[in-house]
Amino acid sequence: QVQVVESGGGLVQPGGSLKLSCAASGILFRNYIVRWYRQASGGQRDFVAGISSDILRNYADSVKGRFTISRDNAKTTAYLTMDSLRPDDTAVYYCALIQISLPNKTYWGQGTQVTVSS
């Protein structure tokens, strides 16, 4: 049974920080790319950050310099550290695990709400 569970969301003031976690079970975690996406209310689900199995990272332009994606394969957990948060970072944040081999199976978590507001 595969499970992907995000946690760590909440309410934070502008300029604050938050660290999200994505805990996976039931898979060989090291064989999956991890990507974070976010979806504002009524909006599209947009790419935020990704990290490969060999720890290569990429970020959306909107979060470069503020967010950091990381992974701990021993803990089968990925993280998104968010600094200098802005109101337009408000969204539901989702973790997706993408198999590095065919058929590139993708598993999604249920999301965690991040609200940036004073």
Side-chain angles (χ1 to χ4, degrees), residues 3-4 22-34 51-53 55 70-79 95-100:
Q3 288 191 318
V4 180
C22 172
S25 61
I27 60 168
L28 295 174
F29 184 75
R30 61 181 171 83
N31 291 338
Y32 287 77
I33 294 168
V34 178
I51 184 166
S52 70
S53 57
I55 323 300
S70 60
R71 66 190 294 164
D72 186 334
N73 288 341
K75 295 181 178 179
T76 67
T77 301
Y79 306 94
C95 176
L97 306 183
I98 302 98
Q99 194 177 32
I100 61 175

Coordinates of all heavy atoms in Angstrom, one line a residue, residues 3-4 22-34 51-53 55 70-79 95-100:
Q3 N 1.5 5.2 0.4 CA 1.0 6.4 1.0 C 1.9 7.5 0.8 O 3.2 7.4 1.0 CB 0.7 6.1 2.5 CG -0.4 5.2 2.8 CD -0.8 5.2 4.3 OE1 0.1 5.2 5.1 NE2 -2.0 5.3 4.6
V4 N 1.4 8.7 0.5 CA 2.1 9.9 0.5 C 1.4 10.9 1.3 O 0.2 11.2 1.0 CB 2.3 10.4 -1.0 CG1 3.1 11.7 -1.0 CG2 3.0 9.4 -1.9
C22 N 6.9 15.7 3.3 CA 6.2 14.7 2.5 C 6.8 13.3 2.8 O 7.9 13.0 2.4 CB 6.5 15.0 1.0 SG 5.9 13.8 -0.2
A23 N 6.0 12.6 3.6 CA 6.4 11.3 4.0 C 5.8 10.2 3.1 O 4.6 10.2 2.9 CB 6.0 11.1 5.5
A24 N 6.6 9.3 2.7 CA 6.2 8.2 1.8 C 6.4 6.9 2.4 O 7.4 6.7 3.1 CB 7.0 8.3 0.4
S25 N 5.5 6.0 2.0 CA 5.7 4.6 2.5 C 5.1 3.7 1.4 O 4.3 4.1 0.5 CB 5.0 4.3 3.8 OG 3.6 4.6 3.7
G26 N 5.6 2.4 1.4 CA 5.1 1.5 0.4 C 5.8 1.5 -0.9 O 5.4 0.8 -1.9
I27 N 6.8 2.3 -1.1 CA 7.6 2.4 -2.3 C 9.1 2.4 -2.0 O 9.5 2.7 -0.9 CB 7.2 3.7 -3.1 CG1 7.5 5.0 -2.3 CG2 5.8 3.7 -3.6 CD1 7.5 6.2 -3.1
L28 N 9.9 2.2 -3.0 CA 11.3 2.4 -2.9 C 11.6 3.9 -3.2 O 11.8 4.3 -4.3 CB 12.1 1.5 -3.9 CG 12.0 0.0 -3.7 CD1 12.6 -0.7 -4.8 CD2 12.6 -0.4 -2.4
F29 N 11.6 4.6 -2.1 CA 11.6 6.1 -2.2 C 12.8 6.6 -3.1 O 12.6 7.6 -3.8 CB 11.7 6.7 -0.8 CG 11.7 8.2 -0.7 CD1 10.5 8.8 -0.9 CD2 12.8 8.9 -0.4 CE1 10.4 10.2 -0.8 CE2 12.7 10.3 -0.3 CZ 11.5 10.9 -0.5
R30 N 13.9 6.0 -3.0 CA 15.1 6.5 -3.7 C 14.9 6.4 -5.3 O 15.7 7.0 -6.0 CB 16.3 5.7 -3.3 CG 16.3 4.2 -3.6 CD 17.5 3.5 -3.1 NE 17.4 2.1 -3.1 CZ 17.5 1.3 -4.2 NH1 17.9 1.9 -5.4 NH2 17.4 0.0 -4.1
N31 N 13.9 5.6 -5.7 CA 13.6 5.5 -7.1 C 12.6 6.4 -7.7 O 12.1 6.2 -8.7 CB 13.2 4.0 -7.4 CG 14.3 3.0 -7.2 OD1 15.5 3.4 -7.3 ND2 13.9 1.8 -7.0
Y32 N 12.3 7.5 -6.9 CA 11.3 8.4 -7.3 C 11.8 9.9 -7.2 O 12.5 10.3 -6.3 CB 10.1 8.4 -6.3 CG 9.2 7.1 -6.6 CD1 9.6 5.9 -6.1 CD2 8.1 7.2 -7.3 CE1 8.9 4.7 -6.4 CE2 7.3 6.1 -7.6 CZ 7.7 4.9 -7.1 OH 7.0 3.8 -7.4
I33 N 11.5 10.6 -8.3 CA 11.7 12.1 -8.2 C 10.6 12.6 -7.3 O 9.5 12.1 -7.3 CB 11.5 12.7 -9.6 CG1 12.7 12.2 -10.5 CG2 11.4 14.2 -9.6 CD1 12.4 12.5 -12.0
V34 N 10.9 13.6 -6.6 CA 9.9 14.3 -5.7 C 9.7 15.7 -6.3 O 10.6 16.5 -6.6 CB 10.4 14.4 -4.3 CG1 9.4 15.2 -3.4 CG2 10.6 13.0 -3.7
I51 N 13.2 17.6 -7.0 CA 14.5 17.0 -6.6 C 14.5 15.6 -7.2 O 13.6 14.8 -7.0 CB 14.7 17.1 -5.1 CG1 16.1 16.6 -4.8 CG2 13.7 16.4 -4.3 CD1 16.6 17.0 -3.4
S52 N 15.6 15.3 -7.8 CA 15.8 14.0 -8.4 C 16.3 13.0 -7.4 O 16.7 13.4 -6.3 CB 16.7 14.1 -9.7 OG 18.0 14.3 -9.3
S53 N 16.4 11.8 -7.8 CA 16.9 10.7 -7.0 C 18.4 10.9 -6.7 O 18.9 10.4 -5.7 CB 16.7 9.3 -7.5 OG 17.3 9.2 -8.8
I55 N 19.7 14.0 -6.3 CA 19.7 15.2 -5.6 C 19.9 16.5 -6.5 O 20.3 17.5 -6.0 CB 20.7 15.2 -4.4 CG1 20.7 13.8 -3.7 CG2 20.3 16.3 -3.3 CD1 19.4 13.4 -3.2
S70 N 14.4 19.4 -0.4 CA 15.4 18.5 0.1 C 14.8 17.1 0.3 O 13.5 17.0 0.2 CB 16.1 18.9 1.4 OG 15.2 19.1 2.4
R71 N 15.6 16.1 0.4 CA 15.1 14.8 0.7 C 16.0 14.0 1.6 O 17.2 14.2 1.6 CB 14.8 14.0 -0.6 CG 16.1 13.7 -1.4 CD 15.7 13.1 -2.8 NE 15.1 11.9 -2.7 CZ 14.4 11.3 -3.8 NH1 14.3 12.0 -4.9 NH2 13.8 10.1 -3.6
D72 N 15.4 13.1 2.3 CA 16.2 12.3 3.2 C 15.7 10.8 2.9 O 14.7 10.4 3.3 CB 15.9 12.6 4.7 CG 16.8 11.8 5.6 OD1 17.2 10.7 5.3 OD2 17.0 12.3 6.8
N73 N 16.5 10.2 2.1 CA 16.1 8.9 1.6 C 16.0 7.8 2.7 O 15.1 6.9 2.7 CB 17.0 8.4 0.5 CG 16.9 9.1 -0.8 OD1 15.9 9.7 -1.1 ND2 17.9 9.0 -1.6
A74 N 16.8 8.0 3.7 CA 16.8 7.1 4.9 C 15.4 7.2 5.6 O 14.9 6.2 6.1 CB 17.9 7.3 5.8
K75 N 14.9 8.4 5.6 CA 13.6 8.6 6.3 C 12.4 8.6 5.3 O 11.3 8.7 5.8 CB 13.6 10.0 7.0 CG 14.6 10.1 8.1 CD 14.5 11.5 8.8 CE 15.5 11.6 9.9 NZ 15.5 12.9 10.6
T76 N 12.7 8.3 4.1 CA 11.7 8.3 3.0 C 10.8 9.5 3.1 O 9.6 9.4 3.0 CB 10.8 7.0 3.0 OG1 10.0 6.9 4.2 CG2 11.8 5.8 2.9
T77 N 11.4 10.7 3.3 CA 10.7 11.9 3.4 C 11.4 13.0 2.6 O 12.6 13.1 2.6 CB 10.7 12.3 4.9 OG1 10.0 11.3 5.7 CG2 9.9 13.6 5.1
A78 N 10.6 13.8 2.0 CA 11.1 15.0 1.3 C 10.5 16.3 2.0 O 9.5 16.2 2.8 CB 10.6 15.1 -0.1
Y79 N 11.2 17.4 1.8 CA 10.8 18.6 2.5 C 10.8 19.8 1.6 O 11.5 19.8 0.6 CB 11.9 18.9 3.6 CG 12.1 17.8 4.6 CD1 13.1 16.8 4.4 CD2 11.3 17.6 5.7 CE1 13.3 15.8 5.2 CE2 11.5 16.5 6.6 CZ 12.5 15.6 6.3 OH 12.7 14.6 7.2
C95 N 2.6 17.2 -2.7 CA 3.8 16.4 -3.0 C 3.5 15.3 -4.0 O 2.5 14.6 -3.9 CB 4.3 15.8 -1.7 SG 5.8 14.7 -1.9
A96 N 4.3 15.2 -5.0 CA 4.1 14.1 -6.0 C 5.4 13.4 -6.2 O 6.5 13.9 -6.2 CB 3.8 14.7 -7.4
L97 N 5.3 12.1 -6.2 CA 6.4 11.2 -6.4 C 6.3 10.5 -7.8 O 5.3 9.9 -8.1 CB 6.5 10.1 -5.3 CG 6.5 10.5 -3.8 CD1 6.6 9.3 -2.9 CD2 7.6 11.5 -3.6
I98 N 7.3 10.7 -8.6 CA 7.3 10.2 -9.9 C 8.4 9.1 -10.1 O 9.6 9.4 -9.9 CB 7.5 11.3 -11.0 CG1 6.5 12.4 -10.8 CG2 7.5 10.7 -12.4 CD1 6.9 13.6 -10.0
Q99 N 8.0 7.9 -10.5 CA 9.0 6.9 -10.7 C 10.0 7.2 -11.7 O 9.6 7.7 -12.8 CB 8.2 5.6 -11.0 CG 9.0 4.3 -11.0 CD 8.1 3.1 -11.3 OE1 7.2 3.2 -12.1 NE2 8.3 2.0 -10.7
I100 N 11.3 6.9 -11.5 CA 12.3 7.3 -12.5 C 12.4 6.4 -13.6 O 13.0 6.7 -14.7 CB 13.7 7.4 -11.8 CG1 14.1 6.1 -11.2 CG2 13.6 8.5 -10.7 CD1 15.5 6.1 -10.6

